[in-house]
Amino acid sequence: LSKTELMDYDRENARISTAALKLLQESHPEILGTIADDVIRKGTSERPPCRFEIVECSNGLTVILDVAHNPPAMAYPVRKLHTTYPNANFRIVVGMSADKDLALCGNSITEVVHGETGRIHFVQAAHPRAATLEAILEATSLQNAHYDLEERSVSRQINHAMELAVEKKEI
């Protein structure tokens, strides 16, 4: 496997799922029966929503949705962004859960934007486990990031990020 394939969590998950299905078929044929290789391949190639989901907008902008939910999970989309779009300038809209390592998440996000923290838009999700903007800013020390303490809505920050991306012709 190539280095890119080894760093791609979707391919890694597909390989693990395929191996698990094959082992289960061998050990319990009475339960699973026989599943054709093309059916396994199709099933393991499907991704859940918001797992490096690529959306092409009518204005030419590419939006990638990913629910990296903790620091280790965040490393995968970071690597995949850089291998899929090696020369792109990213603008990131991110909210975090209060029970995660916010500082470590902030470091990962800073890596995505190559230290240009003005490309980061922090949001406070409308969820009981969401980290407050104040907690995110305190933990990450990313004061140059975009955020709005008055209008904390996710839609406001997404719109702002899209406006800036279109204006600057970024991905």
Side-chain angles (χ1 to χ4, degrees):
L1 296 173
S2 72
K3 182 178 178 184
T4 301
E5 288 175 315
L6 289 172
M7 293 182 356
D8 187 328
Y9 61 96
D10 291 318
R11 290 183 183 179
E12 177 184 351
N13 287 342
R15 285 192 303 274
I16 291 168
S17 299
T18 299
L21 279 171
K22 299 257 184 208
L23 286 170
L24 285 170
Q25 275 185 282
E26 290 173 15
S27 62
H28 299 289
E30 72 284 357
I31 296 173
L32 287 181
T34 302
I35 304 172
D37 286 345
D38 60 322
V39 172
I40 291 174
R41 203 170 13 264
K42 182 177 178 354
T44 59
S45 69
E46 295 294 320
R47 245 187 235 131
C50 293
R51 298 289 171 93
F52 212 84
E53 182 178 346
I54 299 170
V55 179
E56 300 293 341
C57 300
S58 59
N59 62 6
L61 202 63
T62 301
V63 175
I64 299 167
L65 306 172
D66 198 288
V67 293
H69 60 284
N70 59 42
M74 198 171 282
Y76 286 107
V78 167
R79 284 195 302 265
K80 190 163 182 173
L81 280 169
H82 288 302
T83 57
T84 306
Y85 303 98
N87 300 312
N89 292 316
F90 300 101
R91 192 160 287 286
I92 306 293
V93 178
V94 63
M96 300 180 194
S97 293
D99 62 343
K100 304 302 178 195
D101 186 333
L102 303 180
L104 190 54
C105 290
N107 291 340
S108 295
I109 295 161
T110 301
E111 181 185 326
V112 174
V113 296
H114 302 291
E116 295 180 44
T117 57
R119 294 177 178 276
I120 300 169
H121 299 257
F122 284 126
V123 298
Q124 182 175 325
H127 190 277
R129 287 184 37 219
T132 64
L133 287 173
E134 291 84 356
I136 293 169
L137 293 168
E138 182 180 332
T140 63
S141 302
L142 297 174
Q143 304 300 321
N144 292 8
H146 295 273
Y147 55 92
D148 188 336
L149 295 173
E150 299 302 315
E151 173 56 59
R152 296 168 184 251
S153 76
V154 173
S155 60
R156 166 69 186 106
Q157 288 305 316
I158 290 172
N159 287 335
H160 189 228
M162 296 285 277
E163 290 164 4
L164 288 171
V166 168
E167 176 185 312
K168 298 176 187 287
K169 302 201 179 353
E170 299 167 337
I171 189 167

